[in-house]
Amino acid sequence: MTLENTSLLENLFAAPVCDGWSNNTEGALYHLGNTILFLGYMGGSGAYGCLFIFGLLAPSFLCLTLWGWMTVCGPDVVTWNLLLLLACLVQICHLLYRLRQEGLPSEELAALYQDVYLPLGVPIQVFKEIAGAFDNKVLEMKVGETYAVEGKTPIEKLSFLLSGRINVSLEGQFLHYIHQHQFLDSPEWESLRPNEDGQFQVTLTVEEDCRFVSWRRRRLFSLMSKERYVCRLFAVMLGYDIAEKLYNLNNKLYIKSGVLLDIRLPSLYHVLAPSSQSSEGDPPERADGPSRRESDPDRGRRDETPVGRPWPSDPELPSGEDSTSLVLEDFTDVAGSLTDYGSERDYLR
């Protein structure tokens, strides 16, 4: 028994000794199969990378199967390579099914997901539910067409601009533009409750050919009521969009001649005094104290917005070196100012 076990272990683990190397090659099928096998393992990660790998492994194992059948004539070689070929084919079918399930019906929706929703970490399946709420349809408008008319168009939907530009005006006065990847009617959406009706207070006119997607209010509210994640997602996107529109309007809001109101706190405003007020180019000293340049060494840092960039210049505004100086005063004649509340804490409430 011991001798039999010893001979079995020697046959399993002892390396066979080569009596001599053969000068014969294994044929073209063997070398072609291994060449494709080598190229197949150069694939990357992800679904498409796996599809590349198994797409090359399958013909490689097919070549090796034919080599085992026609040259080696070994049933074990044929069987193993055939099993590996079948496994690769199953993997390819599975990957194609996954890609079909995760795919989007149009290139525009795929670009929308890549540019807007993917950076927010939105799963593809959630985006497909959102896209299903507008039936995966992309709408378009031509130059000169009107999306909404102030006081006439009912608020029945929420739209998102994919391309083009839209002019927003009130009583013929230009307010701001709506650009790519912005909501067309986010303020109107947030101004109403789900069971309320209302009309647009501004006019939206197409200035460049536009393509957009549009959700019906009831259908989107239904989706948001079922999916809490979708509700929070739209809350973030709408809040950011409205904030962008408010900052765009900030440069259009005036209180008095030469004063630009800061809509974040109505008690804060930016002095837009012309440079002729001072021969030195510095702002004049106030009657109740020294100039702000002397008393405030950190003025340069506060002359910038919270995001770290200076206020944009407007050619229509009076020019002056101190055009971005921040001043805190009480506006007794301005509704909603700090003086109407008594303290900053009450105002912020």
Side-chain angles (χ1 to χ4, degrees):
M1 193 69 179
T2 303
L3 294 175
E4 292 180 358
N5 291 338
T6 302
S7 61
L8 177 61
L9 293 175
E10 290 179 354
N11 291 331
L12 289 176
F13 298 105
V17 179
C18 293
D19 295 333
W21 294 97
S22 174
N23 293 326
N24 298 328
T25 59
E26 295 297 338
L29 284 175
Y30 176 80
H31 294 290
L32 178 62
N34 283 279
T35 301
I36 301 176
L37 184 67
F38 173 77
L39 295 175
Y41 282 113
M42 292 184 177
S45 59
Y48 289 100
C50 292
L51 187 62
F52 174 85
I53 293 175
F54 289 109
L56 288 180
L57 291 184
S60 171
F61 290 127
L62 175 61
C63 292
L64 294 177
T65 301
L66 295 176
W67 166 74
W69 181 274
M70 300 170 59
T71 303
V72 179
C73 298
D76 53 345
V77 176
V78 174
T79 302
W80 277 111
N81 285 284
L82 185 61
L83 289 176
L84 291 172
L85 171 62
L86 294 176
C88 290
L89 294 177
V90 171
Q91 286 290 342
I92 291 174
C93 294
H94 175 67
L95 289 170
L96 292 176
Y97 175 78
R98 279 183 54 192
L99 292 175
R100 181 178 178 83
Q101 289 295 108
E102 295 180 359
L104 296 171
S106 68
E107 294 182 0
E108 286 182 301
L109 294 183
L112 174 61
Y113 176 72
Q114 291 289 334
D115 297 337
V116 178
Y117 289 90
L118 183 59
L120 296 176
V122 179
I124 184 66
Q125 293 300 330
V126 175
F127 176 74
K128 291 182 69 174
E129 294 182 9
I130 296 173
F134 57 80
D135 297 326
N136 297 306
K137 293 181 179 179
V138 178
L139 308 177
E140 62 178 352
M141 293 188 298
K142 300 297 183 180
V143 175
E145 294 186 24
T146 302
Y147 176 83
V149 178
E150 55 190 271
K152 296 182 180 180
T153 305
I155 304 173
E156 298 177 342
K157 54 188 176 181
L158 177 67
S159 301
F160 191 80
L161 191 62
L162 301 181
S163 63
R165 186 176 67 177
I166 292 181
N167 182 311
V168 181
S169 60
L170 175 63
E171 297 179 353
Q173 179 67 35
F174 169 76
L175 296 179
H176 62 88
Y177 286 114
I178 298 177
H179 298 281
Q180 181 186 26
H181 296 162
Q182 288 186 332
F183 287 99
L184 275 67
D185 34 25
S186 52
E188 288 76 14
W189 174 274
E190 290 293 327
S191 66
L192 297 178
R193 296 180 180 178
N195 57 349
E196 293 180 342
D197 296 325
Q199 295 178 336
F200 277 82
Q201 301 301 311
V202 294
T203 298
L204 279 68
T205 307
V206 178
E207 284 206 351
E208 297 178 0
D209 291 348
C210 295
R211 295 183 65 82
F212 64 97
V213 296
S214 186
W215 296 269
R216 306 299 296 183
R217 284 181 62 87
R218 291 184 178 180
R219 188 166 182 180
L220 184 55
F221 271 126
S222 176
L223 175 62
M224 294 170 64
S225 63
K226 296 177 182 178
E227 300 290 342
R228 186 177 179 183
Y229 177 82
V230 175
C231 182
R232 289 183 293 178
L233 173 65
F234 271 87
V236 172
M237 295 181 65
L238 288 168
Y240 176 81
D241 188 82
I242 293 174
E244 285 289 312
K245 290 181 172 62
L246 288 176
Y247 274 101
N248 289 335
L249 285 173
N250 192 37
N251 289 333
K252 300 292 181 182
L253 195 57
Y254 296 90
I255 294 299
K256 295 180 180 179
S257 176
V259 174
L260 177 63
L261 179 69
D262 191 329
I263 59 176
R264 294 167 295 182
L265 289 176
S267 60
L268 299 179
Y269 68 97
H270 294 269
V271 175
L272 302 173
S275 57
S276 60
Q277 291 183 354
S278 174
S279 60
E280 298 293 332
D282 294 335
E285 295 185 0
R286 299 183 56 166
D288 55 350
S291 67
R292 294 177 65 248
R293 287 187 184 270
E294 297 176 357
S295 60
D296 191 355
D298 296 331
R299 172 181 177 276
R301 291 195 297 270
R302 292 208 302 267
D303 282 350
E304 297 184 351
T305 60
V307 295
R309 59 182 180 182
W311 288 86
S313 59
D314 193 333
E316 299 178 358
L317 301 178
S319 60
E321 182 180 342
D322 199 29
S323 60
T324 57
S325 300
L326 187 63
V327 180
L328 175 62
E329 280 190 355
D330 293 335
F331 285 86
T332 58
D333 57 342
V334 178
S337 66
L338 181 62
T339 56
D340 296 333
Y341 295 87
S343 68
E344 292 269 2
R345 179 177 301 177
D346 295 336
Y347 174 79
L348 292 175
R349 288 178 182 175

